[in-house]
Amino acid sequence: MLVISRRVNEKILFPGIQATVEVIALRGNVVRLGIAAPPHVAVMRDEVKDRPSRQAAMEEPAPQTQPMARELVHALRNRLNAAALGLALLRKQHELGLHQTLEGTIDKIEAEMDAIRRQLDGPANVQPAAAPPRRTRKALVVEDDQNERELLAAFLRMAGLDVEVVQDGRDALEYLHTHDRPDVVLMDMALPRCDGPTAIREIRNNPAIADLKIFAVTGRTPDQFGDPKAMRVDRWFRKPLNAEDLLRDLHRDIADAN
């Protein structure tokens, strides 16, 4: 240990780390020091050296918080999407005078709202849909949630489309191999057995259906599935859906299809 005597305003230099220690004041047996050091040099009292710094505690990530929050947001987006689809279907049923079907749709919306409340505890002005296409277009809805699947299919059917539904990517590929091709596929991206990105790659690698229109419908952001351009998705729709916007874009994209 090097022992050095210093008077007030005299300094001790540490050239190797570009730091200085200056005696600021003397009060009885207490020396007041001023220390100047670069930002990367830690300076602390001996009695607190073993305590985690406040900065380190702030910077240390909570490993589970962000993934759990993302999963909760994704689940809530799915529930809100089903509720939004239910409201859009309810509007169509009312416009068409199908009052005997309203109660079933209301029950489905209430079920979605109950699910949202459970998860939290443990419409704007809608533009009219575009005119129906010249011939009946066919859509394949790929969605693992039964309520979302039925509500979206019912809404699209009321808008004049022929709609088929399947539960996941594997069923979608089987359907496309055994049936006439649809005009568009509405593909949920987070699916069991075979997810959306995997199914889309299979479709794009099959020359018979490689140019099929594919709309991705998801509660996640496109960059969570890799490079969106490389996936060759025609349109991305974020849950909760604005069903009228989806319908308008769908009609516009498939209006000139053969």
Side-chain angles (χ1 to χ4, degrees):
M1 176 185 296
L2 176 65
V3 178
I4 300 178
S5 298
R6 296 278 82 186
R7 295 186 178 88
V8 174
N9 297 329
E10 292 183 337
K11 299 179 180 179
I12 301 171
L13 306 180
F14 298 88
I17 59 172
Q18 297 180 337
T20 62
V21 178
E22 181 179 357
V23 180
I24 302 298
L26 296 173
R27 293 182 181 177
N29 61 352
V30 177
V31 180
R32 187 176 180 85
L33 302 175
I35 302 172
H40 66 274
V41 177
V43 179
M44 62 183 65
R45 300 191 307 274
D46 179 69
E47 64 269 21
V48 300
K49 67 179 185 302
D50 295 326
R51 300 180 192 171
S53 70
R54 178 179 299 180
Q55 182 66 24
M58 292 173 60
E59 293 178 355
E60 183 178 355
Q64 297 300 323
T65 301
Q66 290 185 353
M68 289 177 64
R70 284 198 297 268
E71 289 304 317
L72 177 59
V73 169
H74 178 248
L76 288 175
R77 280 188 174 278
N78 283 341
R79 300 275 64 82
L80 286 170
N81 182 59
L85 289 171
L87 289 171
L89 174 59
L90 200 65
R91 180 184 294 275
K92 283 291 182 186
Q93 290 169 328
H94 176 69
E95 289 175 355
L96 297 176
L98 302 177
H99 302 298
Q100 70 276 12
T101 64
L102 298 181
E103 185 173 354
T105 304
I106 291 172
D107 289 341
K108 284 182 169 55
I109 296 172
E110 288 181 341
E112 293 303 324
M113 299 307 295
D114 287 340
I116 292 172
R117 281 190 289 268
R118 287 195 300 271
Q119 286 179 313
L120 289 176
D121 290 340
N125 294 327
V126 178
Q127 298 179 1
R134 290 185 297 275
R135 69 169 177 84
T136 301
R137 306 299 185 179
K138 189 171 187 176
L140 177 65
V141 173
V142 189
E143 171 60 63
D144 60 313
D145 184 277
Q146 182 179 358
N147 220 12
E148 286 187 76
R149 187 170 63 244
E150 292 178 356
L151 288 166
L152 179 55
F155 176 79
L156 295 176
R157 288 180 184 127
M158 286 197 167
L161 280 84
D162 181 12
V163 182
E164 297 290 341
V165 297
V166 293
Q167 298 184 36
D168 58 33
R170 185 182 299 178
D171 289 344
L173 293 172
E174 177 65 23
Y175 178 92
L176 293 172
H177 289 153
T178 56
H179 295 74
D180 292 337
R181 59 179 283 170
D183 293 285
V184 64
V185 175
L186 303 177
M187 181 81 71
D188 185 21
M189 300 300 279
L191 296 166
R193 297 200 304 170
C194 175
D195 62 12
T198 302
I200 292 170
R201 283 193 294 271
E202 291 290 327
I203 293 171
R204 295 311 188 204
N205 289 332
N206 183 342
I209 54 175
D211 60 343
L212 187 61
K213 290 283 186 182
I214 300 177
F215 286 9
V217 182
T218 179
R220 305 179 189 273
T221 57
D223 57 10
Q224 291 180 264
F225 301 99
D227 182 0
K229 292 183 179 179
M231 201 175 301
R232 294 169 60 194
V233 171
D234 292 285
R235 289 188 183 273
W236 290 84
F237 289 89
R238 189 86 183 273
K239 296 179 181 179
L241 290 175
N242 182 318
E244 295 288 352
D245 286 347
L246 170 67
L247 183 61
R248 185 172 56 254
D249 287 345
L250 189 153
H251 280 322
R252 182 171 58 243
D253 276 26
I254 67 176
D256 297 326
N258 293 325

